[in-house]
């Protein structure tokens, strides 16, 4: 059996579900990227903004928890946003007349992979992984 590679617990940011949360999450991401030695933050800021905005707008209660961690197995950075909502985000079909609802479609184009992991206790983790 191959030994497992463990990484120390990644710092987390706990947010209230308000319109201030996306900006706080962006600042946290930039700080984490600096700690990890990653200079390019543009895509990461878009991703964390979309995920946190979805949490506060579509869930609107409980805490939002953000983590940013390197995935040493494949060289990607993983952004995770936890919330207590039961709903599962879905990419909507393109609609040129819509005034919202394009965020996950955009996110899916920017990252190598993304998904949703339901939590046993309550809520979910929406994550995205990409190469900065």
């Amino acid at each position: 059996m191959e030994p497992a590679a463990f990484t120390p617990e990644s710092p987390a940011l706990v947010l209230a579900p308000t319109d201030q949360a996306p900006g706080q999450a962006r600042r946290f991401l930039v700080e984490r990227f600096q700690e990890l030695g990653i200079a390019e933050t543009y895509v990461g800021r878009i991703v964390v903004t979309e995920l946190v905005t979805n949490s506060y707008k579509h869930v609107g209660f409980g805490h939002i928890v953000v983590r940013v961690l390197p995935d040493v197995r494949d060289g990607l950075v993983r952004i995770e946003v936890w919330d207590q909502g039961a709903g599962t985000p879905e990419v909507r079909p393109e609609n040129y007349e819509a005034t919202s609802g394009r965020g996950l479609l955009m996110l899916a184009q920017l990252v190598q992979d993304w998904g949703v992991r339901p939590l046993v206790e309550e809520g979910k983790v929406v994550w995205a992984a990409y190469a900065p």
Side-chain angles (χ1 to χ4, degrees):
M1 181 179 226
E2 204 174 298
F6 294 102
T7 58
E9 185 63 29
S10 176
L13 174 67
V14 179
L15 300 165
T18 70
D19 63 352
Q20 302 297 307
Q24 293 168 337
R26 283 191 299 275
R27 287 187 289 280
F28 175 74
L29 178 127
V30 169
E31 290 171 8
R32 282 292 293 141
F33 272 30
Q34 287 174 343
E35 292 168 9
L36 297 170
I38 300 169
E40 171 53 48
T41 65
Y42 183 73
V43 171
R45 287 181 288 135
I46 291 172
V47 169
V48 80
T49 298
E50 175 60 23
L51 297 180
V52 169
T53 299
N54 282 351
S55 286
Y56 100 80
K57 282 191 171 183
H58 299 293
V59 176
F61 64 89
H63 290 80
I64 300 168
V65 179
V66 179
R67 290 189 340 147
V68 177
L69 51 150
D71 189 334
V72 295
R73 297 168 296 180
D74 53 18
L76 301 178
V77 173
R78 190 174 181 96
I79 300 168
E80 298 182 343
V81 175
W82 306 359
D83 65 44
Q84 293 175 282
T88 302
E90 296 179 15
V91 176
R92 295 182 190 169
E94 245 179 286
N95 177 349
Y96 295 107
E97 309 223 354
T99 58
S100 66
R102 295 183 183 94
L104 285 177
L105 180 61
M106 177 185 61
L107 180 141
Q109 301 298 313
L110 293 173
V111 300
Q112 275 70 23
D113 200 9
W114 76 279
V116 181
R117 188 175 69 242
L119 299 175
V120 174
E121 57 277 6
E122 180 180 37
K124 65 188 170 298
V125 176
V126 182
W127 59 270
Y130 80 100

